[in-house]
Amino acid sequence: MKLFFKLLVCLFFGIVVFSIVCKKDDDPVGCNYATNVQDEVNALSTAATEYGNDPTNTAKCQAWKDAYQNYLNALEDNVECATVNGQEAELQSAINQAQAALDGIQC
């Protein structure tokens, strides 16, 4: 359960960082990866809530892991947006840390 909460902290830290970075008005290519991954964030939030309410349910655990993986994949697809904003290394580091933590979870 500790790992679950660590991942949630990473997730919300990432969302905050991405939201701040993506509010730049001078983005030359119109990239906004916070908006681009919003569907995945919503799905992850729903899955995390459902799993948190029933942490012994392996199906809910797997649904949460799948939602988290989809979120990380969507972020990977948007790394070029972070490059434009000078945040590529920071984003990639956050993705790598979250991926390592996610890989360690067994349902």
Side-chain angles (χ1 to χ4, degrees):
M1 198 56 142
K2 277 186 179 180
L3 192 52
F4 172 73
F5 291 113
K6 279 185 180 180
L7 284 175
L8 283 179
V9 168
C10 288
L11 167 69
F12 291 115
F13 169 75
I15 291 171
V16 169
V17 169
F18 304 140
S19 296
I20 291 168
V21 170
C22 290
K23 289 185 180 187
K24 286 182 137 183
D25 292 332
D26 60 345
D27 188 354
V29 293
C31 237
N32 188 336
Y33 53 97
T35 300
N36 294 346
V37 300
Q38 189 60 51
D39 290 342
E40 289 81 3
V41 169
N42 293 341
L44 177 55
S45 177
T46 299
T49 299
E50 289 177 8
Y51 176 52
N53 288 333
D54 189 5
T56 60
N57 186 319
T58 56
K60 289 182 181 179
C61 176
Q62 189 59 51
W64 171 68
K65 283 182 64 173
D66 292 344
Y68 209 113
Q69 187 62 60
N70 290 339
Y71 170 68
L72 294 177
N73 292 345
L75 287 176
E76 284 281 353
D77 292 343
N78 284 279
V79 169
E80 67 277 358
C81 289
T83 302
V84 169
N85 294 319
Q87 300 292 322
E88 179 181 13
E90 197 173 313
L91 176 60
Q92 193 62 58
S93 176
I95 292 170
N96 292 344
Q97 289 176 5
Q99 185 67 60
L102 180 61
D103 290 344
I105 295 175
Q106 301 296 317
C107 290

